[in-house]
Amino acid sequence: MWVLLLVFVGLPNHAYTKQPNIVVIVADDLGYQDVGFRGSDILTPNIDRLADEGVILENHIVSSICSPSRASLMTGRYGIRTGFWKGNIKPNEEFGLGLDETLLPEMLKRNGYKTHGVGKWHLGMHTWEHTPPKRGFETWFGMFLGEQGYFSHKKIGRTDLRENYYDLGNLVDNVRSDLKGKYNTYLFTDKSVELVQNHDQTKPFFLYLAYTAPHIPHEVPEED
């Protein structure tokens, strides 16, 4: 799992100058050498640019599988400390990241951030209390499970692409079956761009963008 951390400082006349906007981008199952700046034949120009203009952290190690890595990223703790010693959450499994854990979006929200999540969760969905909109994200667009068809958006026969937000304090759960046939990588990117462009610039902004790519199934648009 690759993690890219982007920090953008607001303009000096903004009230939150000391609180930068934060975007965390996660690539799922991307190999250490599978990026251009590592010498790979795979073309990754945007990642290469971020590496060239930013800081590369060389000594950070994550779990080789999804749920433990995400649990560590969200809590700042070793996966084994969060209960994820046994591996990934399976579909229909009644297990999730403990409700006694304080997550990154929860902490940022307490400090005035607008918090948004896009993409893959994979930290529990057997109760609503374990889902992103109950774990600090004011909005969520994406999936709760660990993988899905990139075009069908289905896992175990059910659509797992949803849009969550709060309307007058009430949680809205909108399953986006209407987006079937659209490539989820593009959907996640478009939603993220929309959130960045439309955010309230009087408040600091946090976006967690967790792509499923290049996790299985290996599906891409024909033009690619």
Side-chain angles (χ1 to χ4, degrees):
M1 183 176 79
W2 273 82
V3 178
L4 301 176
L5 173 63
L6 310 180
V7 178
F8 305 95
V9 178
L11 296 176
N13 61 340
H14 286 176
Y16 61 91
T17 301
K18 293 183 179 179
Q19 291 179 283
N21 297 318
I22 302 170
V23 178
V24 175
I25 304 175
V26 178
D28 197 350
D29 280 357
L30 180 65
Y32 182 81
Q33 297 288 353
D34 293 339
V35 286
F37 73 90
R38 295 285 183 204
S40 172
D41 292 333
I42 300 171
L43 301 179
T44 56
N46 293 319
I47 294 176
D48 298 347
R49 181 179 175 185
L50 289 172
D52 182 59
E53 298 178 0
V55 176
I56 303 172
L57 304 179
E58 298 280 9
N59 297 314
H60 290 65
I61 301 172
V62 299
S63 170
S64 62
I65 51 179
C66 305
S67 296
S69 290
R70 291 163 200 278
S72 294
L73 179 61
M74 286 288 107
T75 64
R77 305 177 69 207
Y78 286 113
I80 195 170
R81 301 286 188 187
T82 65
F84 280 94
W85 55 270
K86 62 178 182 176
N88 286 327
I89 296 176
K90 306 299 188 295
N92 300 320
E93 184 176 9
E94 295 186 0
F95 179 67
L97 186 57
L99 300 181
D100 57 338
E101 299 281 0
T102 300
L103 307 193
L104 176 60
E106 293 176 296
M107 186 61 70
L108 290 172
K109 187 175 179 181
R110 292 177 192 173
N111 285 274
Y113 276 77
K114 305 296 290 183
T115 56
H116 306 278
V118 176
K120 173 176 170 176
W121 177 239
H122 210 189
L123 288 173
M125 60 171 292
H126 64 293
T127 74
W128 271 109
E129 297 303 316
H130 288 84
T131 63
K134 295 289 188 175
R135 306 305 300 265
F137 289 105
E138 296 177 54
T139 70
W140 178 264
F141 177 76
M143 53 193 284
F144 287 169
L145 292 172
E147 65 179 75
Q148 64 175 209
Y150 281 79
F151 297 95
S152 70
H153 314 143
K154 287 187 175 183
K155 178 69 175 177
I156 58 173
R158 297 196 302 265
T159 298
D160 183 28
L161 181 66
R162 57 221 311 146
E163 195 159 15
N164 299 123
Y165 57 92
Y166 286 89
D167 182 15
L168 299 177
N170 297 312
L171 175 60
V172 176
D173 179 39
N174 183 13
V175 177
R176 297 300 305 271
S177 311
D178 58 303
L179 295 176
K180 179 181 178 180
K182 299 194 176 192
Y183 193 49
N184 75 6
T185 299
Y186 295 165
L187 291 173
F188 297 156
T189 298
D190 291 345
K191 172 56 70 171
S192 298
V193 171
E194 175 189 319
L195 288 167
V196 169
Q197 291 178 339
N198 295 332
H199 85 276
D200 180 356
Q201 295 192 21
T202 66
K203 297 181 181 296
F205 173 86
F206 171 66
L207 171 64
Y208 173 63
L209 169 56
Y211 287 109
T212 58
H215 192 289
I216 59 171
H218 299 139
E219 300 175 339
V220 296
E222 289 186 7
E223 61 269 23
D224 292 349

